[in-house]
Amino acid sequence: MSFHDSVVYQVYPRSFRDSTGNGVGDLRGVIEKVPYIASLGVDHVWLNPFFPSPGRDNGYDVSDYRAVDPAMGTMEDFEELVEALGGHGIGVMVDMVLNHTSTEHEWFRRALEGDKHYQDYYILRPARADGALPTNWVSKFGGPAWAPFGDTGLYYLHLYDLTQADLNWRNPAVRAEVADIVNFWRGKGVRGFRFDVINVIGKSEVLLDAPPGTDDRAMYTDGPDVHTYLRELAAASFGRDPGTVTVGEMSSTSIEACVGYSDPANHELDMVFSFHHLKVDYAEGQKWTTMDFDLPALKRVLNDWAVGMQAGGGWNALFWNNHDQPRALNRFADPGRYRVESATMLATVIHLMRGTPYVYMGEEIGMTDPAYTSIGDYVDVEALNAYQELLTQGLTQEEAFDVVRAKARDNARTPMQWEPGPGAGFTRGTPWLRPANQDQVSVEAEERQGRILPYYRRLIALRKQYPVVSEGSYEPYALDHPDVLAYQRHHEGQHLLVLCSFRAYETTIEVPADFQDSRVLVSNYDDEPTWLASDGADVAVRLRPYQALALLVSCPVRSSLQTD
Ligand code: NOJ
């Protein structure tokens, strides 16, 4: 299947390249950088929302689904971008934010004006007899998930910001509108869709309180109707284009649900994003905390998902970074002492796995979180709400700031660093968000003498050259090793062993005897691996700080090497 050997590049347009000098990235800026994107060897570009929006949540509060925000350009610019990328065989993946609309969307405005037709587009409920809100659910951006619906006495549901009103997917008219929006973009030559938080669209008619002490997300996540709605949407829109690639963002989900969403037999989506591997640095499961990441937990989660999705016939979207996550380099490795090794090791973990890798802009040059020093440097609504909430909980300003610095989504949204200098080659004006460290890290420097960018290009190419990477089965390896994340892949007589050290010190790991005659498919160190004699039939290899080593052997079926 074609998306098995594909790689997706994610562009956050506000932060990629500003062609006008107003400090905000735009579509013409992306057009200017098409040759760079093509040079990576990727197959699709996922563009974060560029639709008209009041911008309370940086475009995830859409006020018109069929237009381009004037700050981002014009529809002609978009068409030109589709064509320019298409000229390199690269498809555009558009971000469909269909769980909620902005409260400035015409549907919501008409609903507020009393239009019953549009009132049924949203989830409106009266207060309870005692005046309490309809349920005890909380917004993912803080505070209650209900807000007064004008002066009607009703409340509307907003799982996200106050200005992001949840749509009522139980209403067939909403489902028809949504399919029509997807078809509009199909008509523009779009052959890829990313569906924002799509696993929360299936809310029940009767909305219930989360029982005391339980997580309210269970009350509306992965509801039984999601599958029905997705199948219906696929049949009415993207499912009609066999080459279209689709990915659903699945919030707080399960392997079982994700198998359902991505098993081809179900005709829902091609693949899913899940986030459990990015919660291994959440103290007690809470995002707005700080904690060193838990390597055993990270290994366990990645392995469980690889095994479980494979067993069920599902397919993972593989990623470390996106516009909502602090940079993985800062979270899971050592950008200070081992930036190059860390970045290339992390990339190896993802790119040789079973699934479709996603590269978030800047990751391929080893961009890191900015070292901001004041809360005034942060702009994201989620971070600013969280900061206030932490102060309310009794943290000092300094403590609250430390948490924001570690967890804010702004960390990922700093401008793409094209070159050294004040605007980072991103803008000739004042950037909307201060770049992190363009004088140390930039595309220009990487192209000249860097080791991260060429390594990414190589990994992306390997997926196309080696079916064991794109199609091979996944097999766990050394799950109990304290320092190394490892796995095997197998495909028609080819066997791959991937060893990735998450430590800043040297470590050793046993290698099955069958890999003694292997060759190095890829490594982030230039020298040959150091082999060590070990117990029994196995040998061991020494891994240097943050070393990634992938060994390939071609051989007929042997007892110790499984085949698919
Ligand atoms: C997930 C998006 O990735 C995030 O940026 C956004 O805030 C929420 N969904 C709400 O749309």
Side-chain angles (χ1 to χ4, degrees):
M1 254 175 282
S2 72
F3 62 88
H4 287 194
D5 68 10
S6 292
V7 176
V8 183
Y9 187 68
Q10 183 189 350
V11 167
Y12 193 68
R14 281 177 75 83
S15 301
F16 196 59
R17 163 88 184 139
D18 164 24
S19 72
T20 65
N22 70 353
V24 181
D26 48 52
L27 295 181
R28 295 219 69 78
V30 187
I31 294 172
E32 284 177 28
K33 296 296 182 184
V34 166
Y36 170 76
I37 296 171
S39 79
L40 301 173
V42 298
D43 304 273
H44 305 276
V45 169
W46 156 24
L47 295 170
N48 289 97
F50 49 80
F51 318 109
S53 158
R56 269 288 292 186
D57 186 20
N58 281 9
Y60 281 93
D61 45 333
V62 180
S63 55
D64 181 354
Y65 289 98
R66 295 183 183 78
V68 173
D69 192 318
M72 291 272 168
T74 64
M75 190 58 85
E76 289 68 40
D77 294 336
F78 178 76
E79 288 162 356
E80 193 178 322
L81 177 58
V82 172
E83 206 175 308
L85 285 167
H88 293 276
I90 300 171
V92 170
M93 192 184 255
V94 168
D95 209 323
M96 295 276 88
V97 191
L98 303 171
N99 171 66
H100 43 262
T101 72
S102 162
T103 49
E104 290 190 23
H105 193 285
E106 194 198 340
W107 300 338
F108 194 84
R109 287 217 235 132
R110 290 173 74 163
L112 261 186
E113 282 160 12
D115 186 328
K116 295 274 179 262
H117 176 75
Y118 287 105
Q119 286 185 352
D120 198 25
Y121 274 36
Y122 295 94
I123 300 179
L124 307 180
R125 295 286 186 277
R128 288 185 252 199
D130 63 358
L133 294 174
T135 65
N136 61 359
W137 302 357
V138 289
S139 155
K140 291 169 194 267
F141 290 168
W146 296 95
F149 183 64
D151 53 11
T152 61
L154 298 171
Y155 290 83
Y156 68 91
L157 179 69
H158 65 91
L159 291 181
Y160 293 86
D161 185 59
L162 198 72
T163 63
Q164 292 167 301
D166 281 55
L167 281 166
N168 173 21
W169 277 68
R170 300 183 65 77
N171 179 353
V174 167
R175 304 204 296 276
E177 293 269 14
V178 155
D180 202 55
I181 291 165
V182 175
N183 286 333
F184 173 85
W185 292 102
R186 283 173 65 218
K188 295 281 173 201
V190 169
R191 293 292 174 266
F193 295 97
R194 179 253 187 198
F195 292 98
D196 189 63
V197 292
I198 201 67
N199 65 329
V200 301
I201 58 173
K203 289 131 198 147
S204 311
E205 176 68 41
V206 178
L207 305 177
L208 298 174
D209 267 356
T214 67
D215 192 327
D216 62 338
R217 289 175 289 194
M219 308 311 293
Y220 55 76
T221 303
D222 293 325
D225 293 330
V226 183
H227 296 284
T228 318
Y229 297 158
L230 281 175
R231 274 196 290 274
E232 187 185 300
L233 178 61
S237 63
F238 57 82
R240 299 176 181 176
D241 301 326
T244 292
V245 55
T246 52
V247 56
E249 187 200 28
M250 305 302 172
S251 156
S252 306
T253 189
S254 68
I255 295 174
E256 188 193 357
C258 286
V259 163
Y261 298 130
S262 63
D263 178 348
N266 291 349
H267 301 288
E268 296 180 28
L269 299 170
D270 291 327
M271 59 186 124
V272 290
F273 287 117
S274 65
F275 295 90
H276 298 280
H277 65 298
L278 297 178
K279 298 183 179 176
V280 297
D281 56 359
Y282 287 16
E284 284 160 32
Q286 299 302 313
K287 170 169 175 170
W288 296 98
T289 55
T290 51
M291 181 184 115
D292 285 344
F293 85 103
D294 177 346
L295 179 58
L298 178 67
K299 290 180 57 168
R300 197 168 52 244
V301 172
L302 288 176
N303 179 68
D304 287 352
W305 276 81
V307 168
M309 291 292 273
Q310 169 167 276
W315 195 254
N316 282 316
L318 305 167
F319 72 107
W320 286 120
N321 294 290
N322 70 23
H323 62 290
D324 292 331
Q325 299 289 333
R327 296 274 178 183
L329 253 180
N330 291 73
R331 298 171 74 174
F332 305 121
D334 187 344
R337 286 182 300 163
Y338 293 104
R339 192 177 67 88
V340 172
E341 294 77 7
S342 299
T344 47
M345 182 281 288
L346 289 171
T348 311
V349 172
I350 292 296
H351 282 259
L352 299 183
M353 276 243 186
R354 179 181 178 276
T356 297
Y358 284 63
V359 179
Y360 178 64
M361 59 167 215
E363 173 187 325
E364 75 280 13
I365 57 167
M367 276 177 61
T368 56
D369 292 346
Y372 290 163
T373 49
S374 141
I375 190 70
D377 289 325
Y378 293 87
V379 299
D380 183 29
V381 55
E382 188 201 32
L384 299 178
N385 287 352
Y387 181 72
Q388 290 308 329
E389 178 71 29
L390 291 169
L391 294 180
T392 312
Q393 286 169 15
L395 271 70
T396 63
Q397 288 189 350
E398 202 180 3
E399 289 164 344
F401 179 68
D402 280 347
V403 178
V404 167
R405 188 159 51 186
K407 293 296 169 73
R409 304 190 297 182
D410 293 314
N411 282 314
R413 300 177 179 182
T414 60
M416 180 71 179
Q417 296 172 184
W418 297 102
E419 54 191 51
F426 160 70
T427 182
R428 37 178 209 280
T430 307
W432 71 276
L433 192 62
R434 203 142 53 75
N437 52 1
Q438 67 275 31
D439 292 343
Q440 289 80 43
V441 176
S442 67
V443 172
E444 187 191 283
E446 277 293 312
E447 292 284 19
R448 208 165 359 97
Q449 58 184 27
R451 284 163 44 209
I452 304 175
L453 186 54
Y455 193 87
Y456 265 84
R457 289 183 171 131
R458 176 146 168 71
L459 285 176
I460 292 166
L462 286 179
R463 179 160 287 265
K464 309 216 171 301
Q465 289 158 12
Y466 288 88
V468 68
V469 176
S470 54
E471 301 292 347
S473 61
Y474 169 91
E475 188 195 354
Y477 185 72
L479 286 181
D480 292 332
H481 197 288
D483 306 322
V484 180
L485 186 154
Y487 54 87
Q488 295 191 42
R489 307 287 309 279
H490 307 286
H491 185 72
E492 295 178 353
Q494 286 215 317
H495 310 276
L496 187 63
L497 177 67
V498 181
L499 307 171
C500 294
S501 169
F502 277 73
R503 300 300 185 204
Y505 46 79
E506 286 195 346
T507 183
T508 59
I509 184 165
E510 286 195 355
V511 169
D514 298 293
F515 279 95
Q516 278 179 45
D517 299 328
S518 59
R519 71 182 175 86
V520 175
L521 182 67
V522 65
S523 168
N524 58 353
Y525 279 78
D526 289 338
D527 38 7
E528 284 296 310
T530 311
W531 294 92
L532 307 163
S534 181
D535 294 346
D538 291 342
V539 292
V541 69
R542 176 177 294 148
L543 296 179
R544 313 216 356 231
Y546 296 101
Q547 181 160 12
L549 179 64
L551 301 172
L552 181 73
V553 65
S554 298
C555 61
V557 184
R558 292 194 201 172
S559 55
S560 63
L561 293 177
Q562 295 186 355
T563 51
D564 47 336

